[in-house]
Amino acid sequence: MREFSPQAAPVSVDVPLISNQDVYMNIAMIKEYHENMPRQEAERLAVHSLGRIGFEHIAYKRNPSLTFEERFGVMLLRAAMVKDAMILIHKPFELIPHLQDIQMITSMLETIDDLYVSCHIYDYKWMQEKYGEL
Amino acid sequence: MKTFWEKLGRAAIRIIEDSSDTIVFAGRVFVRIFQRKTYSSAMREVLVNQIYFTSVQILPVFIIVSVFFGSLLIGIVFTMLRDLGLTEFIGHVLMGLIVTELSPFLTVLLITLRSASAINTEMAVMKVNRELKTLETFRIDIVDYLLAPRVLNGIISIVLLSSLFSIVLLISGILFAKLIFGMNITVYTNIVLNSTHFSDIVLMLFKCAIYGFFITLIPIRFGLRASHELTSIPIAVSRGMVNVFAAIVIIEVLSLLIKLY
C-alpha cells in the first residue's frame, strides 16, 4: 500500500493567483515545476480540470477578469495539482464574499475529490452557521 | 564639515553595499543558469514566452527603427568619410564602429526602454500583490521560475537583435556605398569581409550577452526591492532604470578599455 506524505496546498486570499499568467498556467505550473510534466500535457490537464468544475471557458483568461467563484475554482485546482495535496482552505467566505453557504464549495470539492488526499477548511467560529451540517 | 564627510561616507558605504549585493545576486543567478535542474518544463515555458515578448513581438518596430536609424547613420558616416577623403577606411569604420559598437548599444537602449522597464514593473507589482509569496508557498523557487528565464531571455534577445541590427546596417550600407561612392556590391562585400576580425565579432557577441544579463538582472533586483505598498512601485522602477543605464555606460566603457589593451 502506498504511503502518503501530504503536502500542504493552501487556498487563501494571502496566496493570490499570478496575474501576468493565464488561468491554465497558474494551474499547470505546479505539475510543470514539481513533476517536470511537459507543457502540452500540463495545459491539457489544467483545461480538463477546469472543465470538470464548469470553468473551461476561463482557461485563457487572467486573474483580474475572473469572478469570485471562478477565482476560487482556479485557486482550488492549483492547490489540487500539488502531489498528494492536503488542501487548506482559509476563510472561503472571504474569497467569495457574497456566498450564502458552503454548498458550492463542497460540490466543487466532491467533483475533484480524486485530485487531493484531504481537505481542511479554516474559518472563524462565528461563521459556523454558514457551514450548516458540515 | 563633519556632517559632510559623514554623509559622503554613508553614501559611499551604501553604494559599495548595493554593488556587492548586486554582484552576489548576479552570481547566484549566473550559477543557476548553468544548473540542469533549473530547466524544468515550467521554466522552459516562461523562457519561451519571455523570448516571444522581448524578441518576436518587437520585431516589426525593431526592423523599422533599424532600417530608418541604420540608414541615417550609415548615410552620415559614409558622407563624412567621403568629405574627409577617408574612403579607404570605410570597412574599418563600418565593422569597428558601427557594427561592433553602435549596433549593440542602440539595440540595448531599445530593449531597455521596452523590456527592462516592463520587467522592473512586473517584479515590483508581483511583490506588492504577494504573488512571489504564492510561489514560495507552492515551493516554486523564484530564481528558477522567474529570474533565470528572464535573464536568459535578455542574453538571447540582445545577441539576436543586435545581430539583426548589424545585418540591417550592412544591407543599407550596400545602398549607400552605391549612392555615395558609386561602389558595387562585390567591392563593398570584399571591403567589409577584409575588415572583419573574428575577435571583434566574438567581443561584440560577448558584450551583447553581458548587456542582456545586466539589463534584465538589475530591473529584477530593484523590482524585488519594492515593499508591499503600491507607492513603492514607481520608486523601484525609477531606481532600477537609473541603475540599468549606469550599468550600460559601465559595460560600454569596460568594453572600450578591453579593446584598447
Side-chain angles (χ1 to χ4, degrees):
Chain A
M1 192 172 160
R2 189 182 158 214
E3 290 250 337
F4 288 111
S5 55
Q7 303 280 324
V11 176
S12 163
V13 185
D14 298 323
V15 191
L17 296 175
I18 308 295
S19 51
N20 61 1
Q21 289 185 343
D22 289 347
V23 158
Y24 88 86
M25 274 181 81
N26 271 280
I27 300 166
M29 72 173 178
I30 307 292
K31 291 279 183 201
E32 285 182 70
Y33 185 82
H34 290 293
E35 297 170 36
N36 208 14
M37 185 182 275
R39 191 190 70 81
Q40 287 93 339
E41 195 184 331
E43 183 178 343
R44 267 198 304 274
L45 177 66
V47 176
H48 173 71
S49 306
L50 281 165
R52 285 174 68 181
I53 56 169
F55 290 153
E56 199 171 351
H57 61 283
I58 62 164
Y60 299 95
K61 285 186 177 178
R62 290 194 172 188
N63 186 23
S65 54
L66 302 180
T67 64
F68 290 114
E69 286 87 351
E70 288 167 347
R71 192 170 294 120
F72 177 84
V74 178
M75 284 179 165
L76 184 64
L77 285 177
R78 180 181 63 182
M81 289 296 130
V82 172
K83 200 175 183 190
D84 301 331
M86 178 174 67
I87 296 176
L88 308 172
I89 303 176
H90 182 235
K91 293 191 275 181
F93 294 99
E94 202 173 287
L95 285 160
I96 317 174
H98 58 264
L99 205 62
Q100 296 301 313
D101 55 46
I102 199 75
Q103 184 58 43
M104 190 208 93
I105 292 172
T106 49
S107 68
M108 248 188 216
L109 283 166
E110 278 164 19
T111 312
I112 58 157
D113 62 359
D114 54 314
L115 296 178
Y116 58 89
V117 174
S118 62
C119 179
H120 306 265
I121 301 176
Y122 294 87
D123 210 331
Y124 293 118
K125 183 84 174 164
W126 60 80
M127 298 295 281
Q128 201 169 11
E129 67 177 56
K130 288 204 170 194
Y131 290 86
E133 293 298 308
L134 192 71
Chain B
M1 201 62 185
K2 191 183 170 189
T3 319
F4 168 76
W5 289 113
E6 271 178 6
K7 279 182 185 169
L8 191 68
R10 282 208 185 99
I13 289 168
R14 202 181 62 239
I15 290 167
I16 291 166
E17 279 177 352
D18 268 6
S19 308
S20 57
D21 281 354
T22 303
I23 290 165
V24 170
F25 184 68
R28 264 182 66 200
V29 177
F30 187 74
V31 168
R32 286 295 178 88
I33 287 174
F34 292 99
Q35 287 177 347
R36 201 174 165 203
K37 74 174 181 70
T38 304
Y39 294 85
S40 64
S41 168
M43 182 274 188
R44 292 198 303 269
E45 185 175 8
V46 176
L47 176 63
V48 170
N49 285 341
Q50 288 296 316
I51 291 175
Y52 175 74
F53 294 140
T54 310
S55 296
V56 181
Q57 270 191 341
I58 199 181
L59 267 182
V61 175
F62 187 81
I63 291 173
I64 292 168
V65 170
S66 308
V67 169
F68 181 76
F69 206 78
S71 303
L72 192 73
L73 202 66
I74 291 275
I76 292 169
V77 170
F78 279 14
T79 311
M80 278 180 69
L81 287 174
R82 186 195 58 194
D83 294 346
L84 295 169
L86 299 170
T87 313
E88 68 268 31
F89 295 108
I90 177 177
H92 295 289
V93 171
L94 201 60
M95 290 308 295
L97 174 73
I98 295 179
V99 172
T100 60
E101 293 298 332
L102 288 177
S103 71
F105 188 69
L106 293 173
T107 306
V108 83
L109 283 183
L110 282 172
I111 300 301
T112 301
L113 288 171
R114 187 182 180 271
S115 298
S117 53
I119 290 172
N120 202 332
T121 314
E122 185 185 29
M123 287 298 133
V125 170
M126 286 184 86
K127 179 84 182 283
V128 171
N129 283 347
R130 292 167 298 170
E131 291 171 18
L132 300 176
K133 200 86 184 158
T134 296
L135 294 174
E136 282 172 21
T137 306
F138 283 95
R139 296 173 292 281
I140 293 174
D141 191 313
I142 63 162
V143 177
D144 287 353
Y145 188 68
L146 291 179
L147 278 53
R150 280 166 178 78
V151 170
L152 208 55
N153 157 58
I155 295 170
I156 294 168
S157 297
I158 296 290
V159 168
L160 292 180
L161 291 174
S162 183
S163 304
L164 179 68
F165 199 104
S166 300
I167 291 166
V168 170
L169 281 176
L170 290 173
I171 291 171
S172 58
I174 298 171
L175 179 73
F176 281 92
K178 178 84 180 160
L179 286 175
I180 297 170
F181 302 112
M183 198 181 277
N184 68 35
I185 189 165
T186 317
V187 177
Y188 173 81
T189 312
N190 281 335
I191 288 174
V192 169
L193 288 176
N194 288 334
S195 316
T196 307
H197 299 290
F198 182 70
S199 59
D200 285 346
I201 304 292
V202 171
L203 187 65
M204 181 201 111
L205 294 176
F206 183 68
K207 189 167 78 174
C208 289
I210 301 282
Y211 270 144
F213 184 83
F214 282 102
I215 67 150
T216 43
L217 185 101
I218 293 170
I220 288 171
R221 175 145 181 74
F222 280 85
L224 293 178
R225 279 186 179 180
S227 67
H228 292 290
E229 303 289 330
L230 275 173
T231 48
S232 68
I233 296 175
I235 297 167
V237 174
S238 64
R239 281 188 186 157
M241 295 315 289
V242 167
N243 279 272
V244 166
F245 281 105
I248 290 171
V249 172
I250 291 168
I251 294 166
E252 192 58 44
V253 171
L254 287 176
S255 84
L256 280 175
L257 288 175
I258 291 169
K259 252 189 157 179
L260 282 174
Y261 299 104

